[in-house]
Amino acid sequence: MKKARRALLGRSLRPVRIACINYAEEMMSERMMGRLTAALQKCYDEHFLPVWGYPIDLDVTRNPKPTDWQLLYFDDATHKNFLGRHELTHRGQPISKIFLKALGEDDPVSLAASHELFEMVLDPMANLWADKTRHTQYAYEVCDAVEEESFLVNGFPMSNFVYPSWFEPFEHPRGTKFDHMGSLKAPFSMTEGGYVIKKVNGRKVIKQFGSSEKRRRFAKEDRRGHRSEFRDPQGEHHPGRRAAKRRG
């Protein structure tokens, strides 16, 4: 029995392999891709993993294995390799995408990549919700509420992220951390530069912003291909190759 338990534990702790693929020929060199991926791995191992678990191995490649998850970099949503890309590979594995031309001057690629990586690992299908009340649920997104805050790893800005306590709608002991940088003081709260996705009465999906300035900045963003769009029935996203075929 003990041997069986050890075997099961070892299997549960095997890192998920995530293929990092650079289709952003105009915006990012292979050298930068390597430096960025190394920084993301260090950030994940030293900051995110101790809080959330779920070990991963990031691998820069052009030939992902069938079981790989994927972290894809594009110049923009018109790239030929984006067409047909849904939130899953054709083998059903999770995908996250970063569009470099859509990033603002104050939004470096490492900030966007760490944001997408953290959220994909915690909710790969973008379908988990946390109950705040019987009528209100919050999307299980770990960076949105603090998404404009960052800390440095190897000189790269990395996204702040919330802790498990952020999703717990009960009173916590004094000194409880709700995010990595210690900005938030309560569950389901957000910074002025953050936002949250809420589901009301099990049907209506809305976005709530930390400030009117954030709302205006958000409205100007190109959200195509963003994982948050898959949570919203009215979201704007490409349906993907398989879905398009089903629709005829």
Side-chain angles (χ1 to χ4, degrees), residues 126-193:
N127 63 355
L128 298 181
W129 299 83
D131 293 337
K132 182 179 181 181
T133 68
R134 188 174 61 177
H135 302 291
T136 307
Q137 298 175 302
Y138 282 67
Y140 221 87
E141 304 285 350
V142 296
C143 296
D144 290 349
V146 290
E147 72 168 3
E148 293 187 2
E149 294 192 336
S150 64
F151 57 95
L152 291 178
V153 175
N154 288 2
F156 288 91
M158 300 291 177
S159 178
N160 190 12
F161 57 91
V162 300
Y163 279 22
S165 54
W166 189 87
F167 297 95
E168 299 167 347
F170 46 77
E171 187 173 347
H172 292 74
R174 181 175 299 179
T176 297
K177 286 189 72 171
F178 296 97
D179 67 285
H180 196 55
M181 296 177 67
S183 299
L184 304 179
K185 305 303 179 186
F188 305 109
S189 60
M190 59 186 138
T191 62
E192 289 188 357

Side-chain angles (χ1 to χ4, degrees), residues 67-103:
T67 56
D68 284 354
W69 298 14
Q70 295 182 18
L71 185 63
L72 308 178
Y73 297 83
F74 297 97
D75 290 317
D76 55 43
T78 65
H79 192 284
K80 63 181 182 300
N81 283 303
F82 173 63
L83 298 179
R85 294 282 183 178
H86 194 38
E87 76 274 24
L88 299 175
T89 70
H90 70 283
R91 293 182 180 272
Q93 301 297 86
I95 287 178
S96 274
K97 301 172 284 289
I98 298 97
F99 303 97
L100 276 68
K101 288 185 179 179
L103 302 177

